[in-house]
Each structure stands twice: as structure tokens, then as C-alpha cells.
Amino acid sequence: MAHEAFQESRSRVYIGRQHYFDSINQHIANMHAHPLVIVGRSGLGKSALVCNWAARYAESHLSTFVLTHYIGSTSASTDLSNMLRRLISELIHQFSLQREPAKELSGLIDEFPSILAEAGSKGKIVIVLD
């Protein structure tokens, strides 16, 4: 819920430029194996761009699971164990995987690629980390 509230708060005041959305959409459509990284100075609107893009993409691509995690939106969101546990739990829930997240960080790190692959075999996933 906190991540959705963070996204909503950044979506209300964004004055976007369509070419940024188009560039992100093109990257996703080309199914690149490498991540897209958006960089820039603090305060330029990177988080607002990502929040707005994720919301619009999710609304227009209902068959794609858009999983967002906004680092800093809660005190727990900055902890790697909590972040991986949340991402893994969301994937398990969304794709009805018969698994339980590991308890320790090392287990979460080890299992994340296989859970992502298993979930990806059941549907399209876009993960947004900001």
C-alpha cells in the first residue's frame, strides 16, 4: 500500500513529456535483456517520471504485471532483505507460485532469479525500482 501511495503522490504534480514515456515504452517493447537506468541530478523529476510511466503503463497493459518498489517510500523499503522479500512475495502471489520466501538475506538473493524466471514463464513482468 505504501508504494502505491507514493506513486499516487508523485503522479498528481507531474508535467510530463511524451518522448520520455515513448523511450521507456520502446525499451520495454524491444524486450531488452538489460535494465533501463534513468539518471539525472536530484530534483529533476526522475521519480515523478517513473511513477507516472508505471501507472500509465499498468493501465494500458493489463496483461503485464507492473511491480513497483519505491526505495525510501517507507523506512523498511530501503532494506535489501525487506525489498527482496516484498518483490518475491508479490511475484509468488500474482503468479500463484507454490513457494515461500526465504527467511534470510542470502536465501532471498539465491532464490530471486529462479522465482523471477518461474513467474516470467507464466506472464509478462515489468519491475520498476526507484
Side-chain angles (χ1 to χ4, degrees):
M1 254 334 185
H3 295 276
E4 291 82 2
F6 182 86
Q7 181 172 315
E8 175 64 28
S9 75
R10 297 303 184 273
S11 297
R12 283 182 253 151
V13 294
Y14 182 68
I15 301 171
R17 294 197 171 94
Q18 187 61 42
H19 70 277
Y20 292 130
F21 291 148
D22 293 342
S23 294
I24 298 169
N25 288 338
Q26 182 178 0
H27 182 85
I28 298 297
N30 291 335
M31 297 188 58
H32 290 283
H34 59 285
L36 173 66
V37 179
I38 299 171
V39 296
R41 291 190 323 260
S42 179
L44 290 179
K46 297 176 302 296
S47 291
L49 167 65
V50 169
C51 289
N52 278 275
W53 176 83
R56 290 182 187 187
Y57 191 85
E59 288 173 5
S60 62
H61 295 81
L62 298 177
S63 64
T64 300
F65 179 51
V66 179
L67 176 54
T68 58
H69 185 86
Y70 299 105
I71 299 165
S73 62
T74 69
S75 58
S77 68
T78 61
D79 179 77
L80 181 58
S81 292
N82 288 335
M83 181 182 77
L84 286 174
R85 190 171 294 105
R86 179 178 174 271
L87 294 175
I88 288 168
S89 295
E90 292 282 344
L91 291 168
I92 288 171
H93 175 74
Q94 178 68 28
F95 294 99
S96 301
L97 306 180
Q98 301 303 309
R99 301 179 70 157
E100 289 291 325
K103 303 289 185 217
E104 302 296 323
L105 176 59
S106 60
L108 293 166
I109 291 170
D110 289 344
E111 74 183 5
F112 185 66
S114 65
I115 288 176
L116 188 56
E118 185 178 348
S121 73
K122 294 183 174 211
K124 188 170 180 184
I125 305 164
V126 173
I127 297 178
V128 177
L129 303 175
D130 175 51

